[in-house]
Amino acid sequence: VIQYFRAMGRSEGLQRMGGNFLRTAQNRVVVRALEDISLELRQGDHVGLIGHNGSGKSTLLRVLGGILHPTSGSAILEGQTSSLLNLSSILDPEMTGYENIEFARIVLGIPARERAALVREVEELSELGDFLSLPVRTYSSGMQVRLSFTLLMARQPEILLLDEVLMAGDARFSEQARQRVDQLRRRTGILVFASHVPDQLRRMCHRVIWLEHGRIRRQGETEAVLAEYAAANRSPA
Protein backbone atom coordinates (compact mmCIF):
# COMPACT_ATOMS: atom_id res chain seq x y z
CA VAL A 1 0.00 0.00 0.00
CA ILE A 2 1.16 3.53 -0.76
CA GLN A 3 -0.45 6.37 1.14
CA TYR A 4 0.71 9.90 0.48
CA PHE A 5 -0.68 13.05 2.09
CA ARG A 6 0.01 16.82 1.73
CA ALA A 7 3.44 16.65 0.16
CA MET A 8 6.08 19.38 0.24
CA GLY A 9 4.78 21.61 2.83
CA ARG A 10 3.21 24.71 4.23
CA SER A 11 3.77 28.30 3.19
CA GLU A 12 3.85 30.05 6.57
CA GLY A 13 6.44 32.82 6.49
CA LEU A 14 6.71 32.63 2.70
CA GLN A 15 5.65 35.27 0.21
CA ARG A 16 4.18 33.86 -3.01
CA MET A 17 5.90 35.26 -6.12
CA GLY A 18 3.70 33.48 -8.66
CA GLY A 19 3.06 29.84 -9.51
CA ASN A 20 5.10 27.56 -7.29
CA PHE A 21 7.78 30.13 -6.48
CA LEU A 22 7.91 31.72 -3.04
CA ARG A 23 10.32 34.02 -1.20
CA THR A 24 11.45 33.59 2.40
CA ALA A 25 12.00 36.36 4.92
CA GLN A 26 15.73 35.94 4.16
CA ASN A 27 15.00 36.72 0.49
CA ARG A 28 15.66 33.17 -0.65
CA VAL A 29 13.58 31.74 -3.47
CA VAL A 30 11.78 28.48 -2.67
CA VAL A 31 10.26 26.19 -5.27
CA ARG A 32 7.28 24.25 -3.96
CA ALA A 33 7.38 21.20 -6.23
CA LEU A 34 4.21 19.59 -4.84
CA GLU A 35 1.29 21.01 -2.91
CA ASP A 36 -1.73 19.39 -1.23
CA ILE A 37 -1.18 15.99 -2.81
CA SER A 38 -3.37 13.27 -1.33
CA LEU A 39 -3.61 9.80 -2.80
CA GLU A 40 -3.78 6.15 -1.82
CA LEU A 41 -2.68 3.22 -3.97
CA ARG A 42 -3.49 -0.41 -3.30
CA GLN A 43 -2.55 -3.83 -4.59
CA GLY A 44 -3.21 -4.08 -8.32
CA ASP A 45 -3.07 -0.35 -9.05
CA HIS A 46 -1.11 0.58 -12.17
CA VAL A 47 -1.10 4.37 -12.23
CA GLY A 48 0.40 6.79 -14.73
CA LEU A 49 1.59 10.34 -14.08
CA ILE A 50 1.31 12.94 -16.83
CA GLY A 51 1.97 16.67 -16.94
CA HIS A 52 4.27 19.27 -18.43
CA ASN A 53 7.94 19.53 -17.44
CA GLY A 54 8.09 20.86 -13.90
CA SER A 55 4.60 19.69 -12.99
CA GLY A 56 5.92 17.50 -10.17
CA LYS A 57 5.93 14.01 -11.70
CA SER A 58 9.54 13.13 -10.90
CA THR A 59 9.35 14.78 -7.49
CA LEU A 60 6.28 12.71 -6.60
CA LEU A 61 8.07 9.53 -7.67
CA ARG A 62 11.10 10.45 -5.58
CA VAL A 63 8.94 11.01 -2.51
CA LEU A 64 7.20 7.69 -3.06
CA GLY A 65 10.61 6.04 -3.47
CA GLY A 66 11.94 7.51 -0.24
CA ILE A 67 14.56 9.63 -2.02
CA LEU A 68 12.86 12.88 -0.94
CA HIS A 69 10.86 13.50 2.21
CA PRO A 70 7.76 15.71 2.41
CA THR A 71 8.17 18.88 4.47
CA SER A 72 4.75 18.23 5.96
CA GLY A 73 2.34 15.32 5.93
CA SER A 74 3.59 11.80 5.39
CA ALA A 75 4.45 9.23 2.75
CA ILE A 76 3.82 5.65 3.88
CA LEU A 77 4.94 2.66 1.80
CA GLU A 78 4.40 -0.98 2.66
CA GLY A 79 6.23 -3.42 0.42
CA GLN A 80 9.53 -3.95 -1.39
CA THR A 81 10.11 -1.06 -3.79
CA SER A 82 12.19 -0.85 -6.96
CA SER A 83 12.58 2.58 -8.55
CA LEU A 84 14.19 3.45 -11.87
CA LEU A 85 14.60 7.12 -11.06
CA ASN A 86 18.34 7.67 -10.97
CA LEU A 87 19.92 4.77 -12.80
CA SER A 88 23.51 5.80 -12.15
CA SER A 89 23.04 5.86 -8.36
CA ILE A 90 23.28 2.09 -8.05
CA LEU A 91 26.75 1.94 -9.64
CA ASP A 92 30.21 2.45 -8.13
CA PRO A 93 32.35 3.93 -10.92
CA GLU A 94 35.60 2.52 -9.51
CA MET A 95 34.31 -1.06 -9.48
CA THR A 96 34.13 -3.30 -12.53
CA GLY A 97 30.82 -4.32 -14.03
CA TYR A 98 31.10 -7.77 -12.44
CA GLU A 99 31.96 -6.25 -9.06
CA ASN A 100 28.90 -4.01 -9.35
CA ILE A 101 26.78 -7.06 -10.09
CA GLU A 102 27.97 -8.73 -6.89
CA PHE A 103 27.46 -5.54 -4.87
CA ALA A 104 23.92 -5.17 -6.23
CA ARG A 105 23.20 -8.82 -5.42
CA ILE A 106 24.06 -8.18 -1.77
CA VAL A 107 22.13 -4.88 -1.59
CA LEU A 108 19.06 -6.42 -3.22
CA GLY A 109 19.18 -9.43 -0.93
CA ILE A 110 19.53 -11.95 -3.74
CA PRO A 111 20.84 -15.27 -2.33
CA ALA A 112 24.36 -16.39 -3.22
CA ARG A 113 22.93 -19.52 -4.85
CA GLU A 114 21.35 -17.24 -7.48
CA ARG A 115 24.63 -15.42 -8.26
CA ALA A 116 25.37 -17.33 -11.46
CA ALA A 117 21.85 -16.81 -12.80
CA LEU A 118 22.05 -13.07 -12.03
CA VAL A 119 25.38 -12.75 -13.85
CA ARG A 120 23.99 -14.55 -16.90
CA GLU A 121 20.91 -12.31 -16.93
CA VAL A 122 23.01 -9.12 -16.77
CA GLU A 123 25.38 -10.39 -19.45
CA GLU A 124 22.52 -11.24 -21.81
CA LEU A 125 20.38 -8.13 -21.33
CA SER A 126 23.14 -5.52 -21.03
CA GLU A 127 25.19 -6.95 -23.93
CA LEU A 128 28.27 -5.28 -22.46
CA GLY A 129 30.57 -8.24 -23.13
CA ASP A 130 34.18 -7.69 -22.07
CA PHE A 131 33.33 -4.24 -20.69
CA LEU A 132 31.92 -5.99 -17.61
CA SER A 133 35.53 -6.67 -16.62
CA LEU A 134 36.41 -2.96 -16.77
CA PRO A 135 35.71 -0.16 -14.25
CA VAL A 136 32.32 1.49 -14.77
CA ARG A 137 34.02 4.92 -15.02
CA THR A 138 35.25 3.80 -18.47
CA TYR A 139 31.67 3.24 -19.69
CA SER A 140 29.67 5.63 -21.82
CA SER A 141 26.46 7.00 -20.29
CA GLY A 142 24.44 4.58 -22.43
CA MET A 143 26.46 1.62 -21.18
CA GLN A 144 25.92 2.71 -17.58
CA VAL A 145 22.16 2.88 -18.22
CA ARG A 146 22.23 -0.67 -19.60
CA LEU A 147 24.04 -2.05 -16.56
CA SER A 148 22.10 -0.19 -13.89
CA PHE A 149 18.74 -0.94 -15.53
CA THR A 150 19.52 -4.65 -15.65
CA LEU A 151 20.60 -4.69 -11.99
CA LEU A 152 17.53 -2.78 -10.79
CA MET A 153 15.25 -5.14 -12.74
CA ALA A 154 16.91 -8.26 -11.37
CA ARG A 155 14.39 -8.79 -8.61
CA GLN A 156 10.60 -8.77 -8.74
CA PRO A 157 9.41 -5.78 -6.66
CA GLU A 158 6.08 -5.36 -4.94
CA ILE A 159 6.06 -1.65 -5.85
CA LEU A 160 7.63 -0.49 -9.13
CA LEU A 161 8.34 3.21 -9.79
CA LEU A 162 9.33 4.25 -13.32
CA ASP A 163 10.31 7.60 -14.80
CA GLU A 164 10.31 7.23 -18.60
CA VAL A 165 13.20 4.77 -18.42
CA LEU A 166 11.84 3.11 -21.55
CA MET A 167 12.98 6.13 -23.53
CA ALA A 168 16.62 5.56 -22.56
CA GLY A 169 19.23 3.96 -24.76
CA ASP A 170 19.17 2.88 -28.40
CA ALA A 171 16.17 1.33 -30.13
CA ARG A 172 17.28 -2.26 -29.56
CA PHE A 173 17.90 -1.80 -25.83
CA SER A 174 14.72 0.24 -25.40
CA GLU A 175 12.72 -2.68 -26.80
CA GLN A 176 14.51 -5.14 -24.50
CA ALA A 177 13.86 -2.83 -21.56
CA ARG A 178 10.19 -2.54 -22.51
CA GLN A 179 9.82 -6.32 -22.62
CA ARG A 180 11.52 -6.71 -19.23
CA VAL A 181 9.34 -4.03 -17.63
CA ASP A 182 6.24 -5.67 -19.14
CA GLN A 183 7.22 -8.96 -17.49
CA LEU A 184 7.61 -7.27 -14.12
CA ARG A 185 4.51 -5.12 -14.55
CA ARG A 186 2.28 -8.16 -14.96
CA ARG A 187 3.47 -9.52 -11.61
CA THR A 188 4.04 -6.36 -9.57
CA GLY A 189 1.53 -5.24 -6.98
CA ILE A 190 1.69 -1.47 -7.59
CA LEU A 191 3.10 0.43 -10.56
CA VAL A 192 3.56 4.20 -10.76
CA PHE A 193 4.85 5.36 -14.16
CA ALA A 194 5.63 8.96 -15.18
CA SER A 195 5.63 9.62 -18.90
CA HIS A 196 4.92 12.20 -21.59
CA VAL A 197 3.92 9.45 -24.05
CA PRO A 198 0.17 8.71 -24.05
CA ASP A 199 0.58 5.35 -25.81
CA GLN A 200 2.91 4.12 -23.07
CA LEU A 201 0.42 5.16 -20.41
CA ARG A 202 -2.42 3.45 -22.27
CA ARG A 203 -0.46 0.21 -22.47
CA MET A 204 0.82 0.16 -18.91
CA CYS A 205 -1.74 1.95 -16.72
CA HIS A 206 -5.46 1.66 -16.01
CA ARG A 207 -5.55 5.00 -14.16
CA VAL A 208 -3.76 8.32 -14.78
CA ILE A 209 -3.04 11.29 -12.52
CA TRP A 210 -2.61 14.65 -14.30
CA LEU A 211 -0.26 16.95 -12.38
CA GLU A 212 -0.15 20.68 -13.00
CA HIS A 213 2.08 23.09 -11.06
CA GLY A 214 2.54 20.55 -8.29
CA ARG A 215 -1.16 19.83 -7.78
CA ILE A 216 -3.46 17.08 -8.99
CA ARG A 217 -5.64 18.66 -11.68
CA ARG A 218 -7.44 15.44 -12.68
CA GLN A 219 -7.26 11.73 -11.95
CA GLY A 220 -9.30 8.85 -13.25
CA GLU A 221 -9.59 6.23 -15.97
CA THR A 222 -6.69 6.42 -18.42
CA GLU A 223 -8.53 7.31 -21.63
CA ALA A 224 -10.70 9.96 -20.01
CA VAL A 225 -7.76 11.79 -18.41
CA LEU A 226 -5.57 11.55 -21.52
CA ALA A 227 -8.38 12.94 -23.68
CA GLU A 228 -8.88 15.91 -21.36
CA TYR A 229 -5.11 16.48 -21.12
CA ALA A 230 -4.77 16.42 -24.93
CA ALA A 231 -7.66 18.88 -25.33
CA ALA A 232 -6.16 21.29 -22.79
CA ASN A 233 -2.77 21.20 -24.48
CA ARG A 234 -3.93 21.29 -28.10
CA SER A 235 -2.38 24.18 -30.02
CA PRO A 236 -4.92 26.67 -31.33
CA ALA A 237 -5.48 26.56 -35.07
Side-chain angles (χ1 to χ4, degrees):
V1 178
I2 298 177
Q3 294 180 315
Y4 183 61
F5 304 105
R6 290 189 54 78
M8 307 308 287
R10 302 182 176 89
S11 58
E12 287 86 344
L14 299 176
Q15 175 189 0
R16 188 173 292 276
M17 299 167 60
N20 288 14
F21 293 88
L22 305 104
R23 190 186 301 279
T24 69
Q26 293 76 34
N27 208 34
R28 295 175 180 173
V29 175
V30 175
V31 179
R32 177 181 288 172
L34 299 172
E35 186 172 4
D36 293 328
I37 300 290
S38 179
L39 62 89
E40 181 173 348
L41 306 179
R42 293 190 173 275
Q43 182 76 11
D45 282 343
H46 289 179
V47 178
L49 304 178
I50 198 167
H52 57 75
N53 291 332
S55 63
K57 301 187 303 298
S58 296
T59 301
L60 179 54
L61 283 177
R62 281 164 170 74
V63 174
L64 294 176
I67 298 172
L68 299 176
H69 299 283
T71 54
S72 71
S74 61
I76 304 169
L77 285 82
E78 299 175 6
Q80 181 189 22
T81 303
S82 179
S83 59
L84 300 185
L85 308 179
N86 186 357
L87 290 173
S88 62
S89 64
I90 196 174
L91 301 178
D92 184 326
E94 298 303 319
M95 293 166 58
T96 68
Y98 284 116
E99 289 170 340
N100 271 286
I101 294 173
E102 177 62 11
F103 178 70
R105 181 193 69 77
I106 296 171
V107 170
L108 295 172
I110 299 174
R113 64 178 179 276
E114 299 178 18
R115 178 187 291 115
L118 173 62
V119 171
R120 286 195 302 272
E121 181 178 354
V122 174
E123 289 174 337
E124 292 172 6
L125 181 55
S126 71
E127 297 182 335
L128 290 174
D130 293 339
F131 279 98
L132 288 171
S133 299
L134 298 178
V136 167
R137 58 180 165 77
T138 66
Y139 292 14
S140 67
S141 58
M143 293 165 67
Q144 291 183 30
V145 167
R146 285 172 174 264
L147 179 56
S148 53
F149 172 86
T150 310
L151 293 175
L152 286 166
M153 290 289 93
R155 187 166 188 173
Q156 175 68 50
E158 296 172 312
I159 301 170
L160 180 59
L161 308 175
L162 299 174
D163 193 358
E164 293 192 306
V165 67
L166 301 185
M167 306 300 292
D170 56 36
R172 175 182 169 85
F173 180 70
S174 293
E175 176 59 22
Q176 292 174 320
R178 185 191 67 78
Q179 293 176 5
R180 178 60 174 152
V181 168
D182 275 347
Q183 293 172 0
L184 293 177
R185 177 178 60 85
R186 287 190 289 268
R187 300 193 300 267
T188 198
I190 293 174
L191 168 72
V192 185
F193 175 44
S195 177
H196 288 96
V197 184
D199 285 344
Q200 287 186 345
L201 294 170
R202 289 187 180 97
R203 181 171 53 81
M204 298 180 64
C205 306
H206 64 261
R207 183 157 66 97
V208 168
I209 296 172
W210 173 7
L211 291 174
E212 188 170 84
H213 302 300
R215 291 176 175 266
I216 295 177
R217 172 163 172 175
R218 175 91 153 80
Q219 60 177 315
E221 188 271 334
T222 297
E223 283 299 336
V225 176
L226 291 180
E228 187 173 333
Y229 178 78
N233 289 278
R234 190 174 294 124
S235 298

